[in-house]
Amino acid sequence: MERFGASLLAQFRHKEPVELLAALRRECDDHAVVCSESLVVVPNAYGVELPEAVHQELERNGGRVDQALTDSLLRHGESRGYAWAGPLAVHVTKSPSVPNGRYRVTSRVMRHVRAESFHH
């Protein structure tokens, strides 16, 4: 799955998939809430907005980028000992206005989440 996600993400114009994954992990880390010595809670719903052309290209190629990013973020959270605020989902959408034509990553807490059901 890691190679599958990396190959799909490599289609993002001239940007490396590592940069997007790092932004997603940073969003997670930046919104971590320390509840106790043994409990750090992080948001569970993440949005990745892509330029329309990039999003359309991924759709044309049958991309399952949502799942690849979710799996990568799940591994990151497990390595840090995070507790998700609910079921984890990363949802990739197209946007006409992302910074520098690259991407935007957001997060929030949602009690019941399905990737196809939340919008930013």
Side-chain angles (χ1 to χ4, degrees), residues 44-47 64 66-67 70 86-93 108-120:
N44 63 310
Y46 293 80
R64 290 285 307 145
D66 299 61
Q67 189 60 54
T70 300
L88 176 62
V90 176
H91 184 59
V92 178
T93 59
R108 60 185 175 176
V109 172
M110 294 182 74
R111 185 177 300 169
H112 303 288
V113 64
R114 291 189 329 251
E116 62 276 358
S117 68
F118 72 93
H119 306 280
H120 291 282

Side-chain angles (χ1 to χ4, degrees), residues 8-57:
L8 288 174
L9 292 171
Q11 297 173 34
F12 289 2
R13 294 186 190 186
H14 305 294
K15 299 296 172 192
E16 305 84 33
V18 174
E19 187 177 335
L20 177 58
L21 292 172
L24 192 59
R25 292 174 183 147
R26 192 169 39 257
E27 179 74 14
C28 179
D29 295 342
D30 289 351
H31 292 91
V33 176
V34 178
C35 297
S36 72
E37 211 174 279
S38 61
L39 179 62
V40 178
V41 178
V42 293
N44 63 310
Y46 293 80
V48 176
E49 295 175 59
L50 299 174
E52 291 182 38
V54 174
H55 189 271
Q56 288 172 353
E57 183 178 334

Side-chain angles (χ1 to χ4, degrees), residues 13 47-55 93-106 120:
R13 294 186 190 186
V48 176
E49 295 175 59
L50 299 174
E52 291 182 38
V54 174
H55 189 271
T93 59
K94 60 184 169 188
S95 174
S97 61
V98 290
N100 301 319
R102 296 167 59 212
Y103 55 81
R104 178 180 294 124
V105 176
T106 59
H120 291 282

